[in-house]
């Protein structure tokens, strides 16, 4: 079915064509007619399924039709999108701007980590569509800088993640400021008990559209496992990146501190790497993400929460430095590669203490993951003599790399390549 069959306005069809989209995805086919009919919607869809367009396109059409009828003498927020992270809010707002470029509607992103004053000025100028994180929107409500009494459409994007992050109280406070009569759209990758309760509370006889359940992974993603001691993971990761000549590698770590530490260790091996997480300023996060998208940054280390909203076209590699605590998050992670029919690679480094988590993932996927042969020196804890317990990290690296273990040794303290090492010779830049 082409987009022309979904009842979208010519201005929106022109914008869609300019974006290069030929036909709607399943979530778009199912959701767009429901939203255009002004019905409530409960949609099961994850990042990468085209869900943003599934609500952005019909919302733009509904508001543009109203604008033509009543005029725009005074702009007030008519649609509100709540998103769990800054990156996702910015990305969703960009989509509204792109799809609505032939319409006279105004969309603004509202999130923390940046000054609140420019956002206040935007509200004073007039806004049609607000895309916000719950915390910063509450700041505006408490300061009286935004009026949500005219909201006609509420969209909760990635509702399951917002609940996981503890936003339920903020969401309910925000909803108490909205008109009781409104259209509600709830998008979630999973239907947990909390999501179902929230849906029951806010949705009125919703239509249900569900595609791409989170327990499935794209067939175009090659999934592999390397068994490795926890203490040797950073060196195995560095070797995989260099030996495979990988570029644009999205690496997942569990914690903010662990992300920073791993990025620093990779830089010590001569690999361009940086971390992105909630403790960094929005400016720093934007610069880092921009460098990664452009290919100037080879490796981006992220936490699950910070990675929400990172949408990179044709991302070739996703690597689980640490397996997630929740099996469904594994599918969400690797779903960032292998999109739109493109091939992708998902690698997991699994320590002995993570074997139970791996079994949970395989049970969810209903299949065993392919295990790659790992060099023996990565699969055992090094025997450190008593007198050498205070050895430097360089000494430990050389222990893993020593010829007696079949490994390859680095020169110097900076991780520079040896003549016979993985880092020898020029790097290829064509894959950037």
């Amino acid at each position: 079915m082409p987009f022309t069959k979904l009842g979208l306005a010519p201005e929106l069809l022109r914008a869609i064509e300019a974006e290069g989209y030929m036909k709607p995805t399943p979530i778009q086919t199912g959701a767009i007619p429901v939203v255009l009919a002004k019905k409530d919607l409960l949609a099961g869809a994850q990042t990468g399924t085209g869900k943003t367009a599934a609500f952005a396109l019909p919302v733009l059409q509904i508001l543009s039709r109203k604008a033509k009828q009543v005029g725009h003498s005074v702009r007030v927020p008519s649609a509100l999108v709540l998103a769990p992270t800054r990156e996702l809010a910015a990305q969703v707002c960009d989509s509204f701007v792109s799809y609505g470029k032939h319409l006279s509607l105004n969309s603004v992103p509202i999130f923390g980590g940046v000054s609140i004053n420019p956002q206040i000025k935007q509200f004073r100028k007039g806004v049609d569509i607000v895309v916000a994180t719950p915390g910063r929107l509450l700041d505006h409500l408490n300061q009286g800088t935004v009026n949500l009494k005219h909201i006609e459409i509420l969209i909760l994007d990635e509702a399951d993640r917002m609940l996981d992050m503890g936003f339920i109280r903020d969401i309910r406070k925000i909803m108490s400021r909205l008109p009781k009569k409104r259209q509600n759209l709830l998008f979630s990758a999973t239907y947990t008990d909390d999501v179902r309760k929230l849906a029951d509370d806010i949705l009125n006889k919703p239509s249900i559209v569900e595609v791409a359940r989170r327990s499935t992974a794209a067939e175009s993603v090659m999934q592999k496992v390397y068994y490795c001691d926890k203490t040797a993971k950073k060196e195995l990761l560095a070797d995989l990146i260099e030996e495979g000549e990988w570029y644009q590698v999205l690496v997942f770590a569990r914690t903010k501190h662990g992300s920073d530490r791993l990025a620093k260790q990779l830089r010590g091996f001569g690999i361009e790497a940086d971390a992105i997480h909630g403790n960094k300023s929005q400016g720093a996060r934007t610069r880092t993400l921009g460098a990664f998208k452009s290919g100037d940054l080879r490796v981006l280390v992220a936490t699950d929460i910070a990675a929400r909203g990172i949408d990179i076209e044709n991302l070739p590699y996703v690597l689980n430095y640490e397996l997630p605590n929740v099996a469904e998050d594994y599918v969400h992670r690797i779903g960032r590669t292998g999109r739109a029919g493109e091939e992708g690679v998902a690698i997991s480094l699994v320590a002995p203490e993570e074997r139970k988590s791996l079994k949970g993932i395989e049970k969810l996927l209903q299949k065993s993951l392919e295990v790659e042969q790992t060099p023996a020196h990565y699969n055992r804890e090094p025997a450190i003599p008593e007198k050498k317990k205070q050895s430097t990290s360089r000494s430990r690296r050389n222990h893993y790399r020593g010829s007696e273990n079949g490994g390859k040794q680095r020169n110097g303290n900076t991780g520079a390549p040896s003549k016979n090492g993985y880092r020898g010779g020029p790097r290829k830049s064509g894959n950037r």
Side-chain angles (χ1 to χ4, degrees):
M1 177 188 293
F3 279 104
T4 53
K5 297 292 186 180
L6 295 179
L8 294 172
E11 296 89 342
L12 292 171
L13 294 175
R14 285 167 55 200
I16 293 169
E17 185 178 2
E19 293 292 320
Y21 301 135
M22 304 302 295
K23 62 180 181 178
T25 65
I27 187 63
Q28 292 162 3
T29 301
I32 288 175
V34 172
V35 181
L36 286 176
K38 298 187 177 180
K39 296 179 180 179
D40 282 12
L41 173 68
L42 175 60
Q46 64 190 78
T47 299
T49 58
K51 67 178 174 63
T52 301
F55 61 78
L57 290 169
V59 166
L60 285 165
Q61 177 148 319
I62 291 171
L63 297 187
S64 65
R65 284 178 175 174
K66 181 188 174 185
K68 290 178 181 179
Q69 293 172 356
V70 302
H72 262 317
S73 56
V74 178
R75 289 180 183 269
V76 293
S78 299
L80 170 63
V81 183
L82 292 180
T85 66
R86 308 168 193 172
E87 284 76 21
L88 184 57
Q91 178 185 310
V92 169
C93 190
D94 286 344
S95 295
F96 271 101
V97 173
S98 296
Y99 299 141
K101 61 185 175 182
H102 302 301
L103 303 173
S104 57
L105 294 173
N106 191 358
S107 307
V108 297
I110 301 297
F111 47 75
V114 295
S115 172
I116 198 171
N117 293 324
Q119 297 173 359
I120 293 174
K121 290 180 180 179
Q122 287 178 312
F123 282 132
R124 288 174 179 169
K125 289 180 181 179
V127 174
D128 297 299
I129 301 165
V130 176
V131 185
T133 54
R136 177 50 67 92
L137 184 59
L138 268 182
D139 290 341
H140 282 283
L141 287 170
N142 293 334
Q143 294 185 36
T145 54
V146 62
N147 184 348
L148 301 179
K149 293 181 180 179
H150 299 280
I151 292 294
E152 300 175 17
I153 308 172
L154 169 67
I155 303 102
L156 300 182
D157 194 11
E158 299 199 2
D160 53 342
R161 181 59 63 177
M162 283 197 285
L163 296 181
D164 288 345
M165 295 169 66
F167 283 137
I168 184 60
R169 292 183 66 184
D170 289 350
I171 291 172
R172 294 195 181 280
K173 287 179 182 178
I174 291 168
M175 289 194 301
S176 70
R177 306 283 193 96
L178 304 179
K180 293 189 180 300
K181 187 178 180 181
R182 63 178 188 268
Q183 184 179 7
N184 302 286
L185 315 175
L186 189 152
F187 287 76
S188 180
T190 57
Y191 290 151
T192 64
D193 290 341
D194 289 338
V195 170
R196 288 191 181 93
K197 187 176 187 309
L198 180 61
D200 289 342
D201 288 346
I202 71 170
L203 301 179
N204 179 29
K205 298 179 181 179
S207 296
I208 299 175
V209 178
E210 185 175 7
V211 298
R213 289 186 62 89
R214 222 173 161 188
S215 59
T216 61
E219 294 182 1
S220 56
V221 179
M222 182 184 297
Q223 303 174 62
K224 295 183 178 181
V225 169
Y226 285 83
Y227 290 121
C228 173
D229 287 331
K230 183 177 181 180
T231 55
K233 279 189 177 185
K234 58 184 178 294
E235 280 135 346
L236 175 57
L237 172 57
D239 279 349
L240 289 172
I241 292 171
E242 289 284 33
E243 188 178 41
E245 297 181 332
W246 294 354
Y247 286 87
Q248 276 199 316
V249 187
L250 177 58
V251 178
F252 281 95
R254 284 183 179 173
T255 66
K256 301 171 186 176
H257 177 70
S259 299
D260 282 331
R261 182 175 61 247
L262 178 58
K264 183 178 180 180
Q265 289 167 337
L266 290 175
R267 290 194 297 271
F269 292 149
I271 298 172
E272 303 93 339
D274 204 350
I276 184 171
H277 52 69
N279 284 356
K280 294 201 169 186
S281 70
Q282 185 58 37
R285 290 163 71 166
T286 300
R287 287 191 298 273
T288 299
L289 186 56
F292 184 61
K293 286 183 175 181
S294 68
D296 291 333
L297 183 66
R298 193 171 184 181
V299 179
L300 179 64
V301 187
T303 58
D304 283 294
I305 292 176
R308 301 295 277 204
I310 295 178
D311 190 6
I312 300 170
E313 193 172 345
N314 300 329
L315 178 69
Y317 303 103
V318 169
L319 192 137
N320 295 295
Y321 187 75
E322 296 162 314
L323 291 182
N325 293 318
V326 180
E328 286 84 354
D329 284 345
Y330 169 86
V331 180
H332 188 89
R333 287 180 178 185
I334 71 169
R336 298 178 184 283
T337 186
R339 293 183 178 181
E342 296 290 334
E343 293 184 355
V345 177
I347 302 292
S348 297
L349 307 186
V350 180
E353 56 267 34
E354 295 176 296
R355 296 288 182 97
K356 185 176 180 181
S357 295
L358 178 61
K359 287 183 178 179
I361 290 168
E362 291 178 330
K363 182 179 179 181
L364 179 71
L365 298 174
Q366 297 184 343
K367 71 174 185 178
S368 297
L369 298 184
E370 180 182 348
V371 178
E372 287 289 300
Q373 183 65 41
T374 309
H377 57 283
Y378 290 117
N379 275 327
R380 63 178 177 81
E381 292 292 339
I384 303 176
E386 192 69 21
K387 64 180 180 179
K388 293 185 178 180
K389 280 187 177 179
Q390 301 301 319
S391 61
T392 64
S393 59
R394 174 175 175 248
S395 297
R396 285 195 292 272
R397 287 203 301 274
N398 288 341
H399 176 85
Y400 289 119
R401 303 281 174 183
S403 59
E404 71 274 17
N405 287 324
K408 299 183 181 181
Q409 195 161 347
R410 305 177 193 277
N411 288 333
N413 291 324
T414 61
S418 66
K419 187 163 58 178
N420 298 319
Y422 291 136
R423 286 159 185 74
R427 293 181 180 172
K428 293 184 179 179
S429 58
N431 293 332
R432 284 176 177 258

